[in-house]
Amino acid sequence: MKLGNIMIFGDSYSTYEGYIPEGFAVYYSGHREKEPDVFDVKDTWWGRVIEATDATLVQNNSWSGSTIGYTGWHGKDCSHSSSFIYRFETLLKEGFFAHNKIDTLFVFGGTNDSWSQAPLGEWKDGNIEESDLFFVLPAISYFATRLAKELPNTKVVFIGNCGIKSEITDAISNACKKHGFCYVALADIDKSHGHPTELGMKQISEQVLAAIK
């Protein structure tokens, strides 16, 4: 199984100190003094996937606590900071994808959209305005549509967390069906403080690898 050049759009579950862009909030590192017990980048879900597939990591665009849509924790406006949508649009404007060939894109988000109690709104297939992006469901639809349009030759793998709102997992699943993305619906992941332990990371990698075969 060859994934080639890979990129990750994620939240805390996919961060690791020294492997995300400067200024992005990080959760996992090699010197945490409390659980979850992930103390080596090779023990992250994506580190394990890379090792198993001999892939090349081009960028890990993950930001701890980030939401796909524009509404973050405590109702914060993330339209020009940490949101998945803004980060993607920024890379487009900077010419990142014109200069970097991405064969496989992993998207692991939606957890903070659920946990932060961001307003869900209603699912939309089109005619999405910027004001709609402050609502989770249309934001997921919009983000997926942008990925499909701008990266037509990239394999997109969307990972859906377990234990989050069913409306959000349903929206992710619907978006993947619409655009032909691979959808990984995680189940029974070992966590501590809401985050994957080393065992949880191993379980995520195994479920991802099984889905993309």
Side-chain angles (χ1 to χ4, degrees):
M1 180 175 15
K2 295 294 184 181
L3 300 181
N5 291 338
I6 73 168
M7 182 177 181
I8 303 162
F9 266 96
D11 51 31
S12 60
Y13 280 38
S14 303
T15 63
Y16 200 87
E17 188 174 34
Y19 288 83
I20 59 175
E22 185 177 354
F24 282 26
V26 66
Y27 186 85
Y28 289 97
S29 70
H31 55 265
R32 287 180 61 85
E33 296 180 353
K34 59 183 180 180
E35 293 185 346
D37 54 341
V38 181
F39 302 117
D40 192 311
V41 69
K42 293 182 180 179
D43 293 328
T44 61
W45 71 266
W46 49 272
R48 293 173 179 275
V49 168
I50 288 172
E51 183 175 8
T53 62
D54 196 28
T56 299
L57 179 64
V58 176
Q59 187 186 86
N60 183 346
N61 196 290
S62 296
W63 188 314
S64 182
S66 63
T67 50
I68 295 174
Y70 284 173
T71 300
W73 284 88
H74 311 296
K76 182 180 179 181
D77 182 342
C78 299
S79 60
H80 289 80
S81 56
S82 61
S83 68
F84 283 44
I85 294 171
Y86 178 73
R87 282 149 48 197
F88 179 67
E89 297 296 342
T90 297
L91 290 176
L92 281 174
K93 291 176 182 177
E94 293 174 348
F96 176 86
F97 296 103
H99 297 96
N100 293 277
K101 182 177 183 289
I102 305 299
D103 299 301
T104 307
L105 173 65
F106 289 99
V107 180
F108 196 170
T111 298
N112 291 296
D113 299 81
S114 178
W115 288 354
S116 68
Q117 302 302 320
L120 292 175
E122 297 182 0
W123 174 265
K124 288 188 174 183
D125 273 326
N127 299 316
I128 298 175
E129 301 179 359
E130 187 165 16
S131 60
D132 292 320
L133 302 181
F134 287 90
F135 297 87
V136 180
L137 304 188
I140 290 172
S141 177
Y142 177 84
F143 183 58
T145 299
R146 293 292 290 147
L147 293 178
K149 179 180 179 181
E150 298 295 340
L151 304 176
N153 299 315
T154 298
K155 178 182 178 65
V156 177
V157 180
F158 215 125
I159 305 170
N161 196 8
C162 51
I164 63 174
K165 294 178 179 177
S166 60
E167 296 92 339
I168 294 177
T169 54
D170 288 346
I172 293 172
S173 177
N174 288 339
C176 289
K177 289 176 182 177
K178 177 181 178 181
H179 298 291
F181 298 164
C182 177
Y183 175 48
V184 184
L186 298 180
D188 301 321
I189 302 303
D190 189 61
K191 301 176 184 179
S192 176
H193 304 286
H195 289 73
T197 61
E198 183 175 342
L199 172 59
M201 290 291 191
K202 181 174 183 290
Q203 292 169 328
I204 293 172
S205 68
E206 290 172 346
Q207 292 180 32
V208 168
L209 290 169
I212 62 179
K213 281 185 178 180

